Amino acid sequence: MTDASPHTVPLRQTWPDDFVARYRAAGHWRGETFPGFLRTRARDCADAVAVVGGDTRWTYAQLWAQAERIAAGLLAQGLAPGDRVVVQLGNIPEFIAVVCALFRAQLVPVYALPAHRLTEVAHFARKSEASAYVCAERYETFDYRTLARDLQADVPAMHHVFVVGDAAEFVSIDTLDGPRDALPGDPDPQSVAFLQISGGSTGLSKLIPRTHDDYIYSFRASNDLCGIDADSVYMVALPAAHNFPMSSPGFFGALYAGARVVLSPGPGPDAAFPLIARERVTCVGLVPPLALLWADAAGKTTHDLSSLQVLQVGGAKLVPEAARRVVAGLGCRLQQVFGMAEGLVNYTRLDDADDLVLTTQGRPISADDEVLVVDDHGAPVADGEVGHLLARGPYTIRGYHNDDAANARSFTDDGFYRTGDMVQRLSSGHLVVQGRATDHINRAGEKISAEEIEDHLLAHPQVFDVAVVSIPDEFLGERSCAFVIPGDEKPRPAELKAWVRGRGLAAFKVPDQIVFVDAFGTTAVGKISRRELRAQLRARFLAERQAE
Ligand code: OOB
C-alpha cells in the first residue's frame, strides 16, 4: 500500500507473523481499536460518568460527542488521517477528549508532558514530522501560547496550533466543528495509534509507536490484575501523559471498563484528598516520594479516604521500608508496578503474600511476556542472581520510530527489548529491581538522560568539562548532580542552572546540585568511558559525604 501522507518516515510497529498468530490465538489481540471501544462504551454506558475534572463531568455519551466534534473539526481545518499531532495538556478533561478525538479522526497523538519546554517539544515535533500542536492557554502558571509561537518559528512544518482556553491568534478547541460524514472508519487494529515518549536513557527522548491491539491488550489485562470494573473510580494524580496513569491500568483501562476517571489537578494530598472523598476514588497510581507524602498526610487529614482500595506505586523503586510506611499510613492494598513506556509492565498481584508485595516489583502481566535475566555476555543467570532484564511480548515494542542507532542498541537480533534495568528474578517469577545499566537519573519517576544535560552544560562558555550523575536522595529517590570543571572563570551554580533552563528544557532536568572540581582525577590508565567516569565521581562524592 502506498502511503499518501506527506511524511518521509511511515509509522510502523510490527511483530513477526508467527508472533502475530500466537498473540491472536491466545486472545490477547482481539482486533479492538480505540475509536471502536469508545463508541461501544458511549452506547452501552451512555449515562455513566466517564470523566471528572475541574467543573466538568462528562458521561460516556458526552465524552464521545466531544471527541466526534473535535475530530470532525480537526479534519475540517485541513488535517488528514495519518497526520501526527503533538499534545501537551495537563490533567484536564480536554486532554482525554482531544486524544479520543485524534483516535476518531485517525490522527496520531504524540504525547509531551506539561513540564516539557521548547527544545523538547520541537524535538518531538521534528522527529514525528508533526504538523499540529495542541496545548492549553495556561497550565500551572505557564502560558503555552508563547511556546506555540516559538515552536512555529522553529519548526516550519508546524502549521496548526489548537488551544484549550483563550486561543489568541490560534484556533480554539471549543470552536472546532465539522461534518461528521467526513470522519473516517475505524483503523487497522495493528496500525500505530500514538507515539509515546521514552525516558531517554541516552541523549534525546525516543518515540515509541504503540498499536491499538497491543496497547488495548495491556490495559484490558491490567484491569483484571488491578481490580478495575464498571464500579471503579480511578484517579489520575500523576501527569496524565505518563504511561503509568494512562495504561497501568490508567485512565484508558478505566474507560475500557466503563469506570469513572477523576483527574486531580495536582499530585499532592491537598489537591487529591478532597477529590478522593467527594468522588469515592477506589484506585490511584503514585511514584514512591508521593506515596510517602500521602501516607504521612493521611494520618492528619479530615478527608474521608476510606473508599481507596488499591494504591499503586511505581515509576521508581519503592524500597521495603518505604512500602511498609505506605501500607501503615494509608491502610489500603498496596500494588507495586514496574513498567516502561516501551511495553513490559509487572504488578504484584492483589492476592500476593504481604512479603512479596513489600519486597518485589511484581511479575509480568502476560503468560506470553518473555523475560530474560542475563549477564554482560547475554547468558541467562540463575534465579536469584542479578542480571540485565530483556523483554519480548504481546505489548512490548520491537523498535522505536525513526531511530536506527537506538534500535541497534536497544533490541537483540531476536527482538528482545533491552530494558537497561538490572533485576533479580525469584522462583515465583517476581522481579526485584536492583539498579540499572544505563546512565539516567530517575528523579521521582521522571527519567533524565545524563548525556542530554551534559551536552547542554558543555555549550556554556565557562564549562570546560562536565559529568552528570545520579545521587541518592531521601525524598526524590535520586537527584541530579553535575560535576563541572570550570573554564577560566568559574560561573556561579545559579547561573548554570539558569543556563539549562534557558536552553528550553523541562524544569525537572535542571541539575539539583552543581559541584565544581579541578579535574576528574581518574585513576585508570588511558581513556575511560563516560559511564566509568560517572561511576567514579558518584563513588567519590558519596565517600566524601560519608566522611563528613
Ligand atoms: C514507567 O515508565 P517509564 O518509561 O517512564 O520508565 C521506565 C523505567 C524502567 O525501565 C525502570 O528503570 C524504572 O522506570 N521503573 C522502576 C519501576 N517502575 C519503573 N524502577 C524500579 N521500580 C519500579 N516499580 O516508569 C512506568 C510505566 C508503566 C507503569 C509504571 C511505570
Side-chain angles (χ1 to χ4, degrees):
M1 202 176 79
T2 49
D3 187 357
S5 71
H7 309 110
T8 55
V9 187
L11 287 175
R12 57 197 297 267
Q13 186 63 253
T14 51
W15 283 258
D17 290 345
D18 48 335
F19 285 86
V20 174
R22 188 164 124 200
Y23 299 153
R24 282 192 181 146
H28 304 327
W29 294 357
R30 298 185 182 167
E32 294 176 300
T33 65
F34 278 95
F37 93 72
L38 290 162
R39 182 186 298 106
T40 310
R41 293 303 167 276
R43 195 190 54 214
D44 297 346
C45 324
D47 298 326
V49 176
V51 179
V52 177
D55 297 329
T56 302
R57 288 180 95 75
W58 282 329
T59 63
Y60 275 85
Q62 288 169 326
L63 172 63
W64 183 242
Q66 289 285 344
E68 290 223 299
R69 173 185 64 77
I70 296 169
L74 291 170
L75 296 182
Q77 290 284 320
L79 291 177
D83 284 349
R84 295 114 200 218
V85 180
V86 177
V87 179
Q88 188 174 31
L89 294 171
N91 290 5
I92 54 175
E94 289 82 357
F95 180 95
I96 297 181
V98 164
V99 169
C100 293
L102 295 175
F103 291 145
R104 178 66 187 91
Q106 289 196 27
L107 297 163
V108 182
V110 183
Y111 299 122
L113 296 171
H116 285 133
R117 292 295 177 260
L118 179 63
T119 302
E120 290 129 344
V121 178
H123 167 67
F124 305 149
R126 273 195 212 97
K127 196 81 183 165
S128 66
E129 302 178 79
S131 53
Y133 171 63
V134 184
C135 64
E137 165 201 346
R138 198 173 281 281
Y139 189 71
E140 287 176 350
T141 77
F142 183 73
D143 185 339
Y144 288 83
R145 295 166 304 185
T146 59
L147 198 158
R149 289 176 196 118
D150 294 342
L151 183 64
Q152 285 199 306
D154 210 32
V155 183
M158 187 54 79
H159 298 305
H160 307 271
V161 173
F162 303 100
V163 179
V164 175
D166 176 0
E169 72 270 38
F170 305 117
V171 177
S172 158
I173 288 285
D174 281 348
T175 61
L176 285 175
D177 213 341
R180 305 295 190 269
D181 58 6
L183 288 169
D186 286 351
D188 174 352
Q190 273 182 259
S191 64
V192 171
F194 61 85
L195 293 166
Q196 183 59 280
I197 304 299
S198 82
S201 53
T202 39
L204 300 174
S205 289
K206 298 173 285 281
L207 301 184
I208 301 173
R210 301 287 304 255
T211 65
H212 295 267
D213 254 341
D214 94 77
Y215 208 63
I216 291 174
Y217 169 50
S218 79
F219 56 74
R220 189 182 65 232
S222 293
N223 279 348
D224 286 343
L225 302 178
C226 308
I228 298 292
D229 59 26
D231 296 327
S232 301
V233 182
Y234 177 82
M235 171 175 271
V236 182
L238 297 170
H242 266 294
N243 201 59
F244 180 15
M246 187 177 284
S247 67
S248 304
F251 65 84
F252 278 135
L255 293 177
Y256 187 90
R260 179 181 307 178
V261 175
V262 176
L263 297 160
S264 178
D270 290 357
F273 283 9
L275 273 174
I276 294 176
R278 193 185 81 194
E279 301 294 330
R280 307 293 296 157
V281 169
T282 61
C283 178
V284 60
L286 297 176
V287 290
L290 280 172
L292 288 169
L293 202 65
W294 281 40
D296 203 34
K300 302 168 196 151
T301 189
T302 54
H303 295 290
D304 177 8
L305 307 180
S306 62
S307 58
L308 260 187
Q309 293 166 4
V310 179
L311 178 81
Q312 303 181 295
V313 183
K317 172 93 180 230
L318 182 70
V319 295
E321 196 40 48
R324 280 187 199 98
R325 271 172 55 196
V326 168
V327 170
L330 281 152
C332 61
R333 195 71 187 141
L334 170 68
Q335 179 172 52
Q336 296 218 33
V337 189
F338 163 40
M340 50 212 73
E342 285 81 355
L344 181 70
V345 181
N346 304 275
Y347 295 104
T348 56
R349 303 308 196 247
L350 297 179
D351 58 358
D352 272 344
D354 287 349
D355 187 42
L356 286 172
V357 175
L358 294 173
T359 61
T360 80
Q361 279 64 59
R363 59 187 173 84
I365 290 179
S366 177
D368 280 310
D369 279 319
E370 298 170 79
V371 157
L372 295 176
V373 185
V374 301
D375 66 18
D376 289 347
H377 310 289
V381 302
D383 277 353
E385 304 274 313
V386 178
H388 301 267
L389 173 66
L390 311 183
R392 186 168 78 173
Y395 60 97
T396 298
I397 60 163
R398 295 295 187 120
Y400 292 108
H401 176 63
N402 188 8
D403 202 331
D404 293 342
N407 286 337
R409 234 184 4 249
S410 303
F411 295 87
T412 65
D413 291 343
D414 48 2
F416 279 86
Y417 168 58
R418 298 182 202 274
T419 67
D421 294 312
M422 305 295 296
V423 304
Q424 217 180 355
R425 182 174 39 195
L426 311 183
S427 52
S428 61
H430 288 71
L431 303 175
V432 181
V433 179
Q434 294 289 6
R436 62 179 169 265
T438 53
D439 267 349
H440 64 253
I441 296 111
N442 187 337
R443 187 181 189 277
E446 297 291 4
K447 319 303 180 306
I448 305 164
S449 151
E451 197 177 291
E452 181 185 0
I453 308 310
E454 288 167 1
D455 271 351
H456 285 288
L457 282 167
L458 274 173
H460 190 282
Q462 288 308 329
V463 171
F464 177 74
D465 202 355
V466 58
V468 173
V469 161
S470 76
I471 301 284
D473 182 276
E474 207 184 331
F475 180 66
L476 297 166
E478 294 176 17
R479 65 175 188 272
S480 61
C481 178
F483 291 91
V484 174
I485 304 179
D488 300 337
E489 269 172 62
K490 190 159 134 187
R492 282 176 301 115
E495 196 180 319
L496 290 182
K497 292 186 184 186
W499 171 264
V500 174
R501 208 169 291 117
R503 304 275 292 179
L505 297 179
F508 66 78
K509 293 187 186 170
V510 174
D512 293 299
Q513 191 174 3
I514 301 212
V515 175
F516 290 103
V517 290
D518 295 334
F520 285 148
T522 54
T523 50
V525 182
K527 263 179 95 162
I528 66 162
S529 71
R530 300 290 302 175
R531 188 170 154 63
E532 283 170 75
L533 171 64
R534 293 187 192 111
Q536 285 185 11
L537 285 166
R538 180 190 301 111
R540 211 170 65 197
F541 177 87
L542 294 177
E544 281 168 16
R545 200 172 61 173
Q546 195 122 54
E548 273 168 15

